[in-house]
């Protein structure tokens, strides 16, 4: 093997590596060998230095690290639009949990995760953090799609279609972690659902097992003011204080939502290195509240971005989510410099990878990392003229301008054509699920 052999060179009008430098490099080429990035250099030099099997020239495009959706429930794509315009607990208790009780099983999770995987690839996501039932079914879809994911197996106090209770869920998670430990594109973690659905005993077991297996933990925390009020009324303690007491606050924990935070609590999160996942559109739609993102960033906390599931967002569009995060932070802090375009892109990429424990593999276009990247065509009229490519991506571009996607150097979308998934079949299956679910909903209405 000669030193100058490469598998792929992508020559782009701009490359935004996110790290070590922010901003965009003009007319640069990224060189890939054996799935990893081996060089990033001016295009004019690349042809002299490297010989590649395949060269892709993208002369209107911005090449960025693949977006990292740090919190979603992929299979819930099949519940998109099932229950809208409701607050969190009504939405969950009266609509989503009954629907999950009726429909969740491996076929639902397989078809829902495929629909989500196709949507994610088409909108620039290459890696996601997922909390949902039957995580190994989702893992098989991730492998088929060519994506990368950290899958958090649910832990709850009560029975569900996946198991009888905490002991069952914990057993399933450890078994799955063992089964997938050699697959570099899959990480299995623990997903204790929320402080109000998991009691202290199982939470202590999650902590012990996660440390033993060196696995990440994901939990919905301080999503609404109601969650805090009920906890204080029931146990005289705010949920975050309880998690701190149990020893759960650490870099291993991804605390999702975090809309209700006292100054003292922000300090605990910073001191323990706890990761925060901000889901602005789900928080807006369920009227849950606002995460104080700029205050968290100022305290040195790693803040990642997630869409949450398509049943509460209602899409898995990380470009849209990034824009919402940047705009909302300005409104909430009354500071126009809060969450700049560069910071927003970092939250949507490197911060997500860090939160998921995948920072060594993905999240930026740095030599040695896996070649997880997407190209966005900024040549459209709607994104002309281009003064600052990163600002244009965050404030003006839309997801349909994503043209190419690669994970570990493998192409998942070329010129908007999916290469690993069958879009027509996925859409057909989604329609069949809709018919079944709507028919059942309709007949139960008639019974009442
Ligand atoms: C235990 S699997 C995941 C579980 O979480 C539910 N869910 C989806 N979105 C939210 C949210 O914003 N807050 C709390 N719980 C949520 C989902 O329906 C599954 O039951
Ligand atoms: Zn969620």
């Amino acid at each position: 093997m000669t030193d100058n052999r490469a598998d792929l060179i992508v020559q782009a009008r701009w490359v935004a590596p996110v790290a070590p430098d922010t901003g965009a490099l003009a007319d640069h080429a990224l060189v890939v060998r054996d799935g990893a990035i081996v060089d990033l250099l001016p295009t004019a030099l690349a042809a002299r230095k490297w010989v590649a099997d395949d060269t892709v020239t993208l002369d209107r495009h911005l090449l960025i690290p693949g977006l990292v959706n740090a919190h979603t429930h992929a299979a819930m794509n099949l519940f998109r639009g099932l229950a809208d315009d409701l607050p969190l607990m009504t939405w969950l208790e009266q609509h989503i949990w009954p629907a999950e009780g009726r429909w969740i099983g491996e076929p639902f999770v397989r078809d829902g995760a495929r629909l989500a995987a196709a949507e994610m690839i088409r909108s620039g996501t290459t890696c996601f953090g997922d909390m949902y039932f039957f995580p190994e079914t989702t893992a098989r879809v991730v492998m088929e799609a060519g994506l990368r994911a950290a899958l958090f197996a649910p832990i709850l106090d009560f029975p569900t279609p996946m198991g009888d209770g905490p002991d069952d869920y914990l057993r399933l998670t450890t078994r799955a972690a063992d089964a997938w430990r050699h697959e570099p594109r899959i990480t299995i973690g623990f997903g204790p659902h929320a402080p109000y659905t998991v009691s202290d005993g199982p939470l202590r077991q999650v902590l012990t097992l996660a440390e033993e297996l060196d696995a990440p933990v994901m939990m919905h925390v301080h999503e609404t003011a109601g969650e805090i009020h009920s906890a204080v009324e029931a146990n005289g303690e705010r949920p975050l204080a309880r998690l701190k007491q149990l020893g759960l606050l650490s870099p291993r924990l991804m605390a999702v939502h975090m809309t209700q935070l006292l100054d003292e609590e922000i300090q605990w999160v910073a001191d323990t290195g706890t990761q925060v996942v901000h889901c602005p559109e789900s928080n807006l739609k369920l009227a849950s509240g606002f995460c104080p993102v700029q205050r968290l960033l100022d305290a040195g906390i790693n803040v990642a971005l997630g869409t949450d599931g398509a049943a509460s967002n209602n899409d898995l569009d990380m470009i849209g989510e990034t824009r919402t995060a940047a705009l909302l932070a300005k409104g909430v802090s009354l500071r126009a410099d809060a969450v700049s375009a560069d910071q927003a892109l970092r939250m949507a990429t490197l911060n997500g990878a860090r939160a998921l424990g995948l920072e060594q593999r993905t999240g930026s276009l740095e030599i040695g990392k896996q070649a997880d990247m997407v190209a966005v065509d900024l040549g459209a009229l709607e994104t002309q003229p281009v003064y600052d490519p990163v600002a244009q991506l965050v404030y003006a571009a839309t997801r349909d301008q994503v043209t190419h996607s690669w994970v570990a150097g493998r192409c998942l979308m070329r010129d908007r054509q999916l290469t690993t998934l069958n879009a027509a079949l996925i859409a057909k299956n989604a329609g069949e699920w809709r018919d079944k679910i709507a028919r059942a909903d309709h007949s139960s209405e008639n019974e009442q």
Side-chain angles (χ1 to χ4, degrees):
M1 186 177 75
T2 55
D3 251 347
N4 67 345
R5 182 199 64 82
D7 298 319
L8 169 70
I9 297 180
V10 180
Q11 306 178 337
R13 176 68 186 92
W14 300 278
V15 178
V18 172
D21 301 311
T22 54
L25 304 162
D27 299 314
H28 266 61
L30 190 136
V31 185
V32 181
R33 183 162 66 197
D34 298 331
I37 300 169
V38 291
D39 210 349
L40 174 58
L41 72 174
T43 300
L45 300 181
R48 274 189 258 147
K49 185 168 169 193
W50 294 97
V51 178
D53 294 344
D54 187 15
T55 298
V56 178
T57 302
L58 302 167
D59 47 20
R60 309 168 7 145
H61 299 65
L62 170 64
L63 189 71
I64 57 170
L67 300 169
V68 179
N69 185 349
H71 176 72
T72 190
H73 309 275
M76 291 186 83
N77 262 43
L78 289 176
F79 290 142
R80 180 178 3 233
L82 184 71
D84 291 318
D85 311 319
L86 297 164
L88 175 71
M89 292 318 285
T90 313
W91 175 79
L92 263 183
E93 292 176 344
Q94 293 178 28
H95 299 268
I96 297 300
W97 283 342
E100 287 178 339
R102 170 137 201 194
W103 299 109
I104 295 303
E106 297 203 56
F108 180 97
V109 171
R110 182 198 60 219
D111 291 346
R114 276 195 186 132
L115 179 62
E119 181 178 357
M120 286 192 270
I121 295 170
R122 282 163 56 84
S123 52
T125 292
T126 56
C127 175
F128 64 104
D130 199 66
M131 182 204 280
Y132 214 57
F133 306 104
F134 300 102
E136 291 190 87
T137 303
T138 305
R140 286 186 279 276
V141 171
V142 170
M143 293 310 294
E144 168 189 306
L147 286 163
R148 189 182 299 285
L151 306 167
F152 295 82
I155 314 289
L156 296 143
D157 279 350
F158 44 84
T160 66
M162 201 186 76
D164 294 336
D167 288 345
D168 229 9
Y169 303 134
L170 289 162
R171 212 174 11 252
L172 188 151
T173 313
T174 37
R175 221 183 296 136
D178 188 46
W180 291 89
R181 73 179 191 283
H182 296 303
E183 175 44 62
R185 285 192 285 114
I186 301 285
T187 303
I188 301 287
F190 291 81
H193 169 257
Y196 53 91
T197 48
V198 195
S199 47
D200 287 356
L203 282 179
R204 285 198 188 91
Q205 286 175 285
V206 164
L207 179 61
T208 307
L209 289 169
E211 280 174 358
E212 233 171 80
L213 298 169
D214 193 19
V217 178
M218 176 184 277
M219 189 178 202
H220 298 104
V221 184
H222 283 206
E223 184 168 358
T224 62
E227 174 186 334
I228 318 284
H229 292 149
S230 317
V232 171
E233 226 167 63
N235 339 300
E237 201 176 27
R238 289 166 66 93
L240 203 69
R242 179 175 151 233
L243 298 182
K244 178 171 175 273
Q245 181 76 22
L246 288 165
L248 269 157
L249 301 192
S250 83
R252 197 180 291 292
L253 177 69
M254 299 172 72
V256 182
H257 296 305
M258 300 286 262
T259 74
Q260 314 291 318
L261 287 169
L262 306 173
D263 289 347
E264 173 189 44
E265 291 170 333
I266 293 179
Q267 202 52 54
W268 298 343
V269 172
D271 291 346
T272 55
T274 301
Q275 322 280 347
V276 171
V277 186
H278 175 39
C279 302
E281 293 188 2
S282 171
N283 292 159
L284 285 165
K285 184 154 179 284
L286 300 171
S288 296
F290 306 108
C291 175
V293 174
Q294 190 57 44
R295 287 170 58 212
L296 300 184
L297 293 173
D298 290 343
I301 295 164
N302 184 51
V303 183
L305 269 188
T307 57
D308 216 345
S312 66
N313 182 301
N314 288 8
D315 60 46
L316 306 186
D317 172 7
M318 279 293 289
I319 292 185
E321 202 74 29
T322 305
R323 175 174 313 141
T324 304
L327 298 182
L328 192 64
K330 298 170 201 314
V332 166
S333 64
L334 297 178
R335 278 176 49 185
D337 67 341
V339 183
S340 66
D342 277 321
Q343 265 176 324
L345 179 60
R346 193 183 181 90
M347 286 167 64
T349 54
L350 189 56
N351 291 9
R354 184 174 296 161
L356 294 166
L358 297 174
E359 192 187 356
Q360 300 304 315
R361 284 185 205 166
T362 194
S364 59
L365 300 180
E366 292 178 271
I367 293 172
K369 282 199 180 184
Q370 294 291 286
D372 294 1
M373 57 206 181
V374 298
V376 185
D377 181 359
L378 296 182
L381 181 121
E382 290 77 6
T383 39
Q384 288 296 308
V386 181
Y387 296 104
D388 176 340
V390 172
Q392 203 76 324
L393 170 74
V394 173
Y395 295 126
T398 54
R399 61 174 160 175
D400 42 281
Q401 289 173 259
V402 177
T403 58
H404 293 67
S405 168
W406 293 266
V407 171
R410 179 184 180 201
C411 183
L412 311 187
M413 181 169 71
R414 184 181 302 116
D415 286 319
R416 287 207 64 71
Q417 294 306 308
L418 297 179
T419 61
T420 54
L421 296 172
N422 182 337
L425 185 62
I426 288 170
K428 178 172 167 284
N429 286 340
E432 286 170 5
W433 278 104
R434 191 218 76 99
D435 291 348
K436 242 192 301 189
I437 294 170
R439 211 179 306 125
D441 238 23
H442 188 64
S443 56
S444 73
E445 261 167 35
N446 287 346
E447 278 162 24
Q448 283 165 10

